[in-house]
Amino acid sequence: MKTETMISAQSICKGFGGVPVLRGVSLELARGEVVAVIGPSGSGKSTFLRCLNHLETIDSGRIAIEGEILVDSVGGRAQYVPEARIRQIGRKMGMVFQSFNLFPHLTVLENIIEAPIIVKGLKREDIVPRAEALLRKVGLLEKRDAYPNRLSGGQKQRVAIARALAMEPDILLFDEPTSALDPELTGEVLRTMRELAREHMTMLVVTHEMGFAREVANRVIFMDKGEIVEQGAAEAFFAAPQQARTQAFLQNML
């Protein structure tokens, strides 16, 4: 049985001010797959993620989400589909940021229902039960009426995950979801992500949590200097990394 490709990125190049940040990065992500992207700071991991959901535009390459082309290269330059199509394709993906990005003036519940009401046009009475179910899922139903400033970092990140899920995306992108957290709060966020993996949510996770990458990811990608240096099944990747750069990085991290 052929596995459905959820994200296909081919030869992605991106620079800032003439400095190349991504140098021909290619990735395929299958339905239900969890892929961890690891590598040193400045290796282009977060930029790559932001290019996939159009927070950054690429210089050249091709991105297709669930078979729908977002951008392709014409004459060596990136050409995007019209804005309305970009928005439509973008809704297939949810993004969880390093810094939570919750609206401080809205309660936890209001943070979750805001986008489904405004973007999808859903009625409040229809989305509230789903929002409450998502809060129950991430263990925070009792915080539904609290404001973000009353939450710990770990709680904020779990609300951010619930908010992303409220839009019912097919794919979740995580950009260093635990790097702003104290170590003792990291576990609760990783538990939520493990639960999503068990439910076969398609996830692309930029992370520095090697334990999570080893235990939860199906595949691990190591990036350095804007390139994919090595990738493989998680178990084999950590047991016997092939490239010297990967070996050196893992020795520093583990």
Side-chain angles (χ1 to χ4, degrees):
M1 195 176 92
K2 193 173 184 319
T3 312
E4 187 183 352
T5 300
M6 302 296 275
I7 294 178
S8 174
Q10 305 296 326
S11 306
I12 304 302
C13 292
K14 168 71 178 171
F16 291 105
V19 179
V21 176
L22 297 174
R23 307 165 186 261
V25 175
S26 296
L27 165 88
E28 301 266 314
L29 183 68
R31 180 179 287 281
E33 193 179 23
V34 179
V35 172
V37 184
I38 65 171
S41 295
S43 57
K45 309 182 298 295
S46 294
T47 299
F48 178 59
L49 219 57
R50 292 171 67 84
C51 288
L52 292 177
N53 71 352
H54 197 244
L55 288 172
E56 301 284 358
T57 54
I58 64 173
D59 299 330
S60 63
R62 181 178 190 273
I63 298 171
I65 308 298
E66 293 181 47
E68 296 189 62
I69 292 173
L70 175 71
V71 56
D72 206 347
S73 279
V74 179
R77 293 191 64 78
Q79 195 162 340
Y80 280 83
V81 295
E83 191 62 41
R85 290 286 302 131
I86 290 172
R87 281 199 300 276
Q88 211 173 356
I89 293 168
R91 281 185 209 166
K92 296 173 186 291
M93 293 178 284
M95 178 96 165
V96 178
F97 298 89
Q98 184 176 337
S99 53
F100 328 128
N101 288 15
L102 298 178
F103 297 114
H105 63 291
L106 299 181
T107 65
V108 163
L109 183 75
E110 288 165 342
N111 262 283
I112 293 172
I113 67 175
E114 176 92 342
I117 289 172
I118 290 176
V119 179
K120 284 188 160 183
L122 296 180
K123 290 190 170 68
R124 185 185 170 93
E125 58 268 27
D126 294 335
I127 189 61
V128 166
R130 172 156 171 77
E132 289 177 339
L134 288 169
L135 283 173
R136 195 174 293 114
K137 181 188 186 77
V138 300
L140 288 172
L141 183 58
E142 79 283 0
K143 300 288 187 187
R144 79 189 281 285
D145 299 318
Y147 286 89
N149 66 355
R150 309 302 298 167
L151 304 180
S152 72
Q155 290 170 334
K156 286 178 189 171
Q157 195 58 292
R158 283 185 286 154
V159 171
I161 293 171
R163 181 180 61 179
L165 290 169
M167 289 294 285
E168 302 187 306
D170 297 333
I171 305 158
L172 272 186
L173 308 176
F174 291 85
D175 187 12
E176 297 272 16
T178 59
S179 66
L181 303 179
D182 295 332
E184 66 269 22
L185 300 176
T186 296
E188 59 195 46
V189 174
L190 294 179
R191 263 195 304 280
T192 299
M193 293 171 68
R194 279 193 184 91
E195 187 61 37
L196 290 171
R198 277 195 291 271
E199 294 167 5
H200 307 293
M201 184 76 196
T202 307
M203 299 196 281
L204 185 60
V205 185
V206 169
T207 185
H208 63 282
E209 295 288 341
M210 296 302 120
F212 175 84
R214 183 189 299 224
E215 294 158 35
V216 183
N218 306 107
R219 189 154 50 100
V220 179
I221 289 172
F222 172 64
M223 282 182 69
D224 192 19
K225 297 181 177 147
E227 299 172 320
I228 291 178
V229 176
E230 185 169 351
Q231 61 178 302
E235 201 174 321
F237 179 93
F238 284 104
Q242 303 298 300
Q243 302 294 324
R245 274 196 280 176
T246 316
Q247 292 162 5
F249 175 77
L250 290 176
Q251 274 168 354
N252 284 335
M253 293 299 287
L254 297 173

